[in-house]
Amino acid sequence: MSPVVATLWLVNVTLDTGGQLAFKAAASDPRAGDGVARWRYMASRPWIWLGILAYVTHLLSWIAFLSLVDLSQGVLLASINIVAIMIAGRWLFREKLTPLRVGGILLVSAGVAIVGMGG
């Protein structure tokens, strides 16, 4: 994997993970209320806008990444986002990592490593 591809891959993982975490922070604020009031509250908070910015930037970096790798390889390498999001969710939101989830993390990580080495 070339340095440019590796950098774009890390940027994609970071932006996707950051966007998911920002959306989770916006959606899980206990002060948000219910219904339309919840959406208004979330729209007034920076987390939702940070998530949107991360996703728009992620889209652009994803296109750049895909211009340099095969789609089949790119999609499989992007699967590591699942691992990053699960670990960050555990760390920031105290979400549970059950034995099955840990097993999934290990399998996804092994798959990404195999695809990364074979690219």
Side-chain angles (χ1 to χ4, degrees), residues 17-84:
T17 302
Q20 291 283 354
L21 295 172
F23 288 145
K24 174 68 176 180
S28 63
D29 190 332
R31 299 170 292 179
D34 292 321
V36 175
R38 178 179 195 79
W39 287 98
R40 284 189 184 134
Y41 179 82
M42 285 191 299
S44 72
R45 308 299 297 161
W47 288 118
I48 197 83
W49 299 107
L50 183 62
I52 291 169
L53 177 64
Y55 264 45
V56 169
T57 309
H58 173 258
L59 174 65
L60 298 174
S61 66
W62 178 246
I63 292 168
F65 178 70
L66 286 181
S67 73
L68 301 173
V69 299
D70 292 339
L71 178 61
S72 58
Q73 182 185 21
V75 169
L76 290 171
L77 288 171
S79 297
I80 201 69
N81 294 358
I82 296 166
V83 173

Coordinates of all heavy atoms in Angstrom, one line a residue, residues 17-84:
T17 N -15.3 7.5 11.7 CA -15.4 7.2 13.1 C -15.8 8.5 13.9 O -16.8 8.5 14.7 CB -14.1 6.7 13.7 OG1 -13.8 5.5 13.0 CG2 -14.2 6.4 15.2
G18 N -15.2 9.6 13.5 CA -15.5 10.9 14.2 C -17.0 11.3 13.9 O -17.7 11.8 14.8
G19 N -17.4 11.1 12.7 CA -18.8 11.4 12.3 C -19.8 10.6 13.1 O -20.8 11.1 13.6
Q20 N -19.5 9.3 13.2 CA -20.4 8.4 13.9 C -20.5 8.8 15.4 O -21.6 8.9 16.0 CB -20.0 7.0 13.8 CG -20.1 6.4 12.5 CD -21.6 6.0 12.2 OE1 -22.5 6.0 13.0 NE2 -21.8 5.6 10.9
L21 N -19.3 9.1 16.0 CA -19.3 9.5 17.4 C -20.0 10.9 17.6 O -20.7 11.0 18.6 CB -17.8 9.6 17.9 CG -17.1 8.3 17.9 CD1 -15.6 8.5 18.2 CD2 -17.7 7.3 18.9
A22 N -19.8 11.8 16.7 CA -20.5 13.1 16.8 C -22.0 12.9 16.7 O -22.8 13.5 17.5 CB -20.0 14.0 15.7
F23 N -22.5 12.1 15.8 CA -23.9 11.8 15.7 C -24.4 11.1 17.0 O -25.5 11.4 17.5 CB -24.2 10.9 14.5 CG -24.1 11.7 13.2 CD1 -23.7 11.0 12.1 CD2 -24.5 13.0 13.1 CE1 -23.6 11.7 10.9 CE2 -24.4 13.7 11.9 CZ -23.9 13.0 10.8
K24 N -23.7 10.2 17.5 CA -24.1 9.5 18.8 C -24.2 10.5 19.9 O -25.1 10.5 20.7 CB -23.1 8.4 19.1 CG -23.3 7.7 20.5 CD -24.6 6.9 20.5 CE -24.7 6.2 21.8 NZ -25.9 5.4 21.9
A25 N -23.2 11.4 20.0 CA -23.2 12.4 21.1 C -24.4 13.3 20.9 O -25.1 13.7 21.9 CB -21.9 13.3 21.0
A26 N -24.8 13.7 19.7 CA -25.9 14.5 19.4 C -27.2 13.8 19.8 O -28.1 14.4 20.4 CB -26.0 15.0 18.0
A27 N -27.3 12.6 19.4 CA -28.5 11.8 19.6 C -28.7 11.3 21.0 O -29.9 11.0 21.4 CB -28.5 10.6 18.7
S28 N -27.7 11.2 21.8 CA -27.8 10.7 23.1 C -27.9 11.7 24.3 O -27.8 11.4 25.4 CB -26.7 9.7 23.4 OG -25.5 10.3 23.4
D29 N -27.9 13.0 23.9 CA -28.0 14.0 24.9 C -29.3 13.9 25.6 O -30.4 14.1 25.0 CB -27.9 15.4 24.2 CG -27.7 16.5 25.2 OD1 -28.2 16.4 26.4 OD2 -27.1 17.5 24.8
P30 N -29.3 13.7 26.9 CA -30.6 13.5 27.7 C -31.4 14.8 27.7 O -32.6 14.7 28.0 CB -30.1 13.1 29.1 CG -28.7 13.6 29.2 CD -28.2 13.6 27.8
R31 N -30.9 15.9 27.4 CA -31.7 17.2 27.4 C -32.4 17.4 26.2 O -33.2 18.4 26.1 CB -30.7 18.4 27.7 CG -30.0 18.3 29.0 CD -28.9 19.3 29.1 NE -27.9 18.9 28.1 CZ -26.7 19.6 27.9 NH1 -26.5 20.7 28.5 NH2 -25.9 19.2 27.0
A32 N -32.3 16.5 25.2 CA -32.9 16.7 23.9 C -34.4 16.7 23.8 O -35.0 17.3 23.0 CB -32.3 15.7 22.9
G33 N -35.0 16.0 24.7 CA -36.5 15.9 24.7 C -37.0 14.9 23.7 O -36.2 13.9 23.3
D34 N -38.2 15.0 23.2 CA -38.8 14.1 22.3 C -39.4 14.8 21.0 O -39.6 16.0 21.0 CB -40.0 13.3 23.0 CG -39.5 12.4 24.1 OD1 -38.5 11.8 23.9 OD2 -40.2 12.4 25.1
G35 N -39.6 14.0 20.0 CA -40.3 14.5 18.8 C -39.5 15.6 18.1 O -38.3 15.6 18.0
V36 N -40.3 16.5 17.6 CA -39.7 17.7 16.9 C -38.8 18.5 17.8 O -37.7 19.0 17.3 CB -40.8 18.5 16.3 CG1 -40.3 19.8 15.6 CG2 -41.7 17.7 15.3
A37 N -39.1 18.6 19.0 CA -38.2 19.3 19.9 C -36.8 18.7 20.0 O -35.8 19.4 20.1 CB -38.9 19.4 21.3
R38 N -36.8 17.4 20.0 CA -35.5 16.7 20.0 C -34.7 17.1 18.8 O -33.5 17.4 18.9 CB -35.7 15.2 20.0 CG -34.5 14.4 20.0 CD -34.8 12.9 20.0 NE -33.6 12.1 20.3 CZ -33.1 12.0 21.6 NH1 -33.7 12.5 22.6 NH2 -32.0 11.3 21.7
W39 N -35.3 17.1 17.6 CA -34.6 17.5 16.4 C -34.1 18.9 16.4 O -33.0 19.2 15.9 CB -35.4 17.2 15.1 CG -35.5 15.7 14.9 CD1 -36.5 14.8 15.3 CD2 -34.5 14.9 14.3 NE1 -36.2 13.6 14.9 CE2 -35.0 13.5 14.3 CE3 -33.3 15.1 13.7 CZ2 -34.3 12.5 13.8 CZ3 -32.6 14.1 13.2 CH2 -33.0 12.8 13.2
R40 N -35.0 19.8 16.9 CA -34.6 21.2 17.0 C -33.4 21.4 18.0 O -32.5 22.1 17.7 CB -35.8 22.0 17.5 CG -36.8 22.3 16.4 CD -37.8 23.3 16.9 NE -38.8 23.5 15.9 CZ -40.1 23.5 16.2 NH1 -40.6 23.3 17.4 NH2 -41.0 23.6 15.2
Y41 N -33.5 20.6 19.1 CA -32.4 20.7 20.0 C -31.1 20.2 19.4 O -30.0 20.9 19.5 CB -32.7 19.9 21.3 CG -31.6 19.9 22.3 CD1 -31.5 21.0 23.2 CD2 -30.7 18.9 22.4 CE1 -30.5 21.1 24.1 CE2 -29.6 19.0 23.3 CZ -29.6 20.0 24.2 OH -28.5 20.1 25.1
M42 N -31.1 19.1 18.7 CA -29.9 18.5 18.1 C -29.4 19.5 17.1 O -28.2 19.6 16.9 CB -30.2 17.2 17.5 CG -30.3 16.0 18.5 SD -30.3 14.4 17.8 CE -31.8 14.4 16.8
A43 N -30.3 20.1 16.3 CA -29.8 21.0 15.3 C -29.1 22.3 15.8 O -28.3 22.9 15.2 CB -31.0 21.5 14.4
S44 N -29.4 22.6 17.1 CA -28.8 23.7 17.7 C -27.5 23.4 18.4 O -26.8 24.3 18.9 CB -29.8 24.3 18.8 OG -29.9 23.5 19.9
R45 N -27.1 22.2 18.4 CA -25.9 21.7 19.1 C -24.8 21.5 18.1 O -25.0 21.1 17.0 CB -26.1 20.4 19.9 CG -27.3 20.5 20.8 CD -27.2 21.5 21.9 NE -26.1 21.2 22.8 CZ -25.5 22.0 23.6 NH1 -25.9 23.2 23.7 NH2 -24.5 21.7 24.3
P46 N -23.5 21.7 18.5 CA -22.4 21.6 17.5 C -22.2 20.1 17.1 O -21.6 19.9 16.0 CB -21.2 22.2 18.3 CG -21.6 22.1 19.7 CD -23.1 22.2 19.8
W47 N -22.5 19.2 17.9 CA -22.2 17.8 17.6 C -22.8 17.3 16.3 O -22.2 16.7 15.5 CB -22.7 16.8 18.7 CG -21.8 16.9 19.9 CD1 -22.2 17.3 21.2 CD2 -20.4 16.6 20.0 NE1 -21.2 17.2 22.0 CE2 -20.0 16.9 21.4 CE3 -19.4 16.3 19.1 CZ2 -18.7 16.7 21.8 CZ3 -18.1 16.1 19.6 CH2 -17.8 16.3 20.9
I48 N -24.0 17.7 16.0 CA -24.7 17.3 14.8 C -24.0 17.9 13.6 O -23.8 17.2 12.5 CB -26.2 17.6 14.8 CG1 -26.9 16.8 13.7 CG2 -26.5 19.0 14.6 CD1 -27.3 15.4 14.1
W49 N -23.6 19.1 13.7 CA -22.9 19.8 12.6 C -21.5 19.3 12.4 O -21.0 19.2 11.3 CB -23.0 21.3 12.8 CG -24.4 21.8 12.8 CD1 -25.1 22.2 13.9 CD2 -25.3 21.8 11.7 NE1 -26.4 22.5 13.6 CE2 -26.6 22.2 12.2 CE3 -25.2 21.5 10.4 CZ2 -27.7 22.4 11.4 CZ3 -26.3 21.6 9.6 CH2 -27.5 22.1 10.1
L50 N -20.9 18.9 13.5 CA -19.5 18.3 13.4 C -19.6 17.0 12.6 O -18.8 16.7 11.8 CB -18.9 18.2 14.7 CG -17.5 17.6 14.8 CD1 -16.5 18.5 14.1 CD2 -17.1 17.4 16.2
G51 N -20.7 16.2 13.0 CA -20.9 14.9 12.3 C -21.2 15.1 10.8 O -20.7 14.4 10.0
I52 N -22.0 16.1 10.5 CA -22.3 16.4 9.0 C -21.0 16.8 8.3 O -20.7 16.3 7.2 CB -23.4 17.4 8.9 CG1 -24.7 16.8 9.4 CG2 -23.5 18.0 7.5 CD1 -25.9 17.8 9.6
L53 N -20.2 17.7 8.9 CA -19.0 18.1 8.3 C -18.0 16.9 8.1 O -17.4 16.8 7.1 CB -18.3 19.2 9.2 CG -16.9 19.7 8.7 CD1 -17.1 20.4 7.3 CD2 -16.3 20.6 9.7
A54 N -18.0 16.1 9.1 CA -17.1 14.9 9.0 C -17.6 14.0 7.9 O -16.7 13.5 7.1 CB -17.1 14.1 10.3
Y55 N -18.9 13.8 7.7 CA -19.4 13.0 6.6 C -19.1 13.6 5.3 O -18.8 12.8 4.3 CB -20.8 12.7 6.9 CG -21.0 11.3 7.6 CD1 -20.2 11.0 8.7 CD2 -22.0 10.4 7.2 CE1 -20.4 9.8 9.4 CE2 -22.1 9.2 7.8 CZ -21.4 8.9 8.9 OH -21.5 7.7 9.5
V56 N -19.3 14.9 5.1 CA -19.1 15.5 3.8 C -17.6 15.4 3.5 O -17.3 15.0 2.3 CB -19.5 17.0 3.8 CG1 -19.1 17.7 2.6 CG2 -21.1 17.0 3.9
T57 N -16.7 15.6 4.4 CA -15.3 15.5 4.2 C -14.9 14.1 3.9 O -14.1 13.8 3.1 CB -14.5 16.1 5.4 OG1 -15.0 17.4 5.7 CG2 -13.0 16.2 5.1
H58 N -15.6 13.2 4.7 CA -15.3 11.7 4.5 C -15.7 11.3 3.0 O -15.0 10.5 2.4 CB -16.1 10.9 5.5 CG -16.1 9.4 5.2 ND1 -17.1 8.8 4.6 CD2 -15.1 8.5 5.5 CE1 -16.8 7.5 4.5 NE2 -15.6 7.3 5.1
L59 N -16.8 11.8 2.5 CA -17.2 11.5 1.2 C -16.1 11.9 0.2 O -15.8 11.1 -0.7 CB -18.5 12.2 0.8 CG -19.0 12.1 -0.6 CD1 -19.4 10.6 -0.9 CD2 -20.2 13.0 -0.8
L60 N -15.6 13.1 0.3 CA -14.5 13.5 -0.6 C -13.3 12.7 -0.5 O -12.7 12.3 -1.5 CB -14.2 15.0 -0.4 CG -15.4 16.0 -0.6 CD1 -15.1 17.4 -0.1 CD2 -15.9 15.9 -2.0
S61 N -12.9 12.4 0.7 CA -11.7 11.6 0.9 C -11.9 10.1 0.4 O -11.0 9.5 -0.1 CB -11.2 11.6 2.3 OG -12.1 11.0 3.2
W62 N -13.1 9.7 0.6 CA -13.5 8.3 0.1 C -13.4 8.2 -1.4 O -12.8 7.3 -1.9 CB -14.9 8.0 0.6 CG -15.4 6.6 0.1 CD1 -16.4 6.4 -0.7 CD2 -14.9 5.3 0.5 NE1 -16.6 5.0 -0.9 CE2 -15.7 4.4 -0.2 CE3 -13.9 4.9 1.3 CZ2 -15.5 3.0 0.0 CZ3 -13.7 3.6 1.5 CH2 -14.4 2.6 0.8
I63 N -13.8 9.2 -2.1 CA -13.7 9.3 -3.6 C -12.3 9.3 -4.0 O -11.8 8.6 -4.9 CB -14.5 10.5 -4.2 CG1 -16.0 10.3 -3.9 CG2 -14.2 10.7 -5.6 CD1 -16.8 11.5 -4.2
A64 N -11.4 10.1 -3.3 CA -10.0 10.1 -3.6 C -9.4 8.7 -3.3 O -8.6 8.2 -4.1 CB -9.3 11.2 -2.7
F65 N -9.8 8.1 -2.2 CA -9.3 6.8 -1.9 C -9.6 5.7 -3.0 O -8.8 5.0 -3.4 CB -9.8 6.4 -0.5 CG -9.4 5.0 0.0 CD1 -8.1 4.7 0.3 CD2 -10.4 4.0 0.1 CE1 -7.7 3.4 0.8 CE2 -10.0 2.7 0.5 CZ -8.7 2.4 0.9
L66 N -10.9 5.8 -3.4 CA -11.4 4.8 -4.4 C -10.7 5.0 -5.7 O -10.7 4.1 -6.6 CB -12.9 4.8 -4.5 CG -13.7 4.2 -3.3 CD1 -15.1 4.3 -3.6 CD2 -13.2 2.8 -3.1
S67 N -10.3 6.3 -6.0 CA -9.6 6.5 -7.3 C -8.3 5.8 -7.3 O -7.7 5.7 -8.4 CB -9.5 8.0 -7.5 OG -8.4 8.6 -6.7
L68 N -7.7 5.4 -6.2 CA -6.4 4.8 -6.1 C -6.4 3.3 -5.9 O -5.4 2.6 -6.0 CB -5.6 5.5 -5.1 CG -5.4 7.0 -5.3 CD1 -4.7 7.6 -4.1 CD2 -4.6 7.2 -6.6
V69 N -7.5 2.7 -5.5 CA -7.6 1.3 -5.2 C -8.8 0.7 -5.8 O -9.8 1.4 -6.2 CB -7.7 1.0 -3.6 CG1 -6.5 1.5 -2.9 CG2 -9.0 1.5 -3.0
D70 N -8.8 -0.6 -6.0 CA -10.0 -1.3 -6.5 C -11.1 -1.2 -5.5 O -10.9 -1.2 -4.3 CB -9.7 -2.8 -6.7 CG -8.7 -3.1 -7.8 OD1 -8.5 -2.2 -8.7 OD2 -8.1 -4.2 -7.8
L71 N -12.4 -1.1 -6.0 CA -13.5 -1.0 -5.1 C -13.6 -2.1 -4.2 O -13.9 -1.9 -3.0 CB -14.8 -0.9 -6.0 CG -16.1 -0.8 -5.2 CD1 -16.1 0.4 -4.3 CD2 -17.3 -0.8 -6.2
S72 N -13.3 -3.4 -4.6 CA -13.4 -4.5 -3.8 C -12.4 -4.4 -2.6 O -12.7 -4.8 -1.5 CB -13.2 -5.8 -4.6 OG -12.0 -5.8 -5.2
Q73 N -11.2 -4.0 -2.9 CA -10.2 -3.8 -1.8 C -10.6 -2.6 -0.9 O -10.5 -2.7 0.3 CB -8.9 -3.5 -2.4 CG -7.8 -3.4 -1.4 CD -6.4 -3.1 -1.9 OE1 -6.3 -2.5 -3.1 NE2 -5.4 -3.3 -1.2
G74 N -11.1 -1.5 -1.5 CA -11.4 -0.3 -0.7 C -12.5 -0.6 0.3 O -12.4 -0.2 1.5
V75 N -13.5 -1.3 -0.2 CA -14.7 -1.5 0.7 C -14.3 -2.5 1.9 O -14.6 -2.3 3.0 CB -15.9 -2.1 -0.1 CG1 -16.9 -2.7 0.8 CG2 -16.4 -1.1 -1.0
L76 N -13.4 -3.5 1.6 CA -13.0 -4.4 2.6 C -12.1 -3.6 3.6 O -12.2 -3.9 4.8 CB -12.3 -5.6 2.0 CG -13.2 -6.5 1.3 CD1 -12.4 -7.6 0.5 CD2 -14.2 -7.2 2.2
L77 N -11.2 -2.8 3.1 CA -10.3 -2.0 4.0 C -11.1 -1.1 4.9 O -10.8 -0.8 6.0 CB -9.2 -1.3 3.2 CG -8.1 -2.1 2.6 CD1 -7.3 -1.3 1.7 CD2 -7.3 -2.8 3.7
A78 N -12.2 -0.5 4.3 CA -13.0 0.4 5.1 C -13.8 -0.3 6.2 O -14.3 0.4 7.1 CB -14.0 1.1 4.2
S79 N -13.8 -1.6 6.2 CA -14.5 -2.4 7.2 C -13.9 -2.2 8.6 O -14.5 -2.4 9.6 CB -14.5 -3.9 6.9 OG -15.2 -4.1 5.8
I80 N -12.6 -1.7 8.6 CA -12.0 -1.5 9.9 C -12.7 -0.3 10.7 O -12.5 -0.2 11.9 CB -10.5 -1.2 9.7 CG1 -9.7 -1.4 11.0 CG2 -10.2 0.3 9.2 CD1 -9.6 -2.8 11.5
N81 N -13.5 0.5 9.9 CA -14.2 1.5 10.6 C -15.1 1.0 11.7 O -15.3 1.6 12.7 CB -15.1 2.3 9.6 CG -14.3 3.1 8.6 OD1 -13.1 3.1 8.6 ND2 -15.0 3.7 7.7
I82 N -15.7 -0.2 11.4 CA -16.6 -0.9 12.4 C -15.8 -1.1 13.7 O -16.3 -0.9 14.8 CB -17.1 -2.2 11.8 CG1 -18.0 -2.0 10.6 CG2 -17.8 -3.0 12.9 CD1 -18.2 -3.2 9.8
V83 N -14.6 -1.6 13.6 CA -13.8 -1.8 14.8 C -13.5 -0.5 15.5 O -13.6 -0.4 16.7 CB -12.4 -2.5 14.4 CG1 -11.5 -2.7 15.5 CG2 -12.8 -3.9 13.7
A84 N -13.1 0.5 14.8 CA -12.7 1.8 15.4 C -14.0 2.4 16.1 O -13.9 2.9 17.2 CB -12.2 2.8 14.3

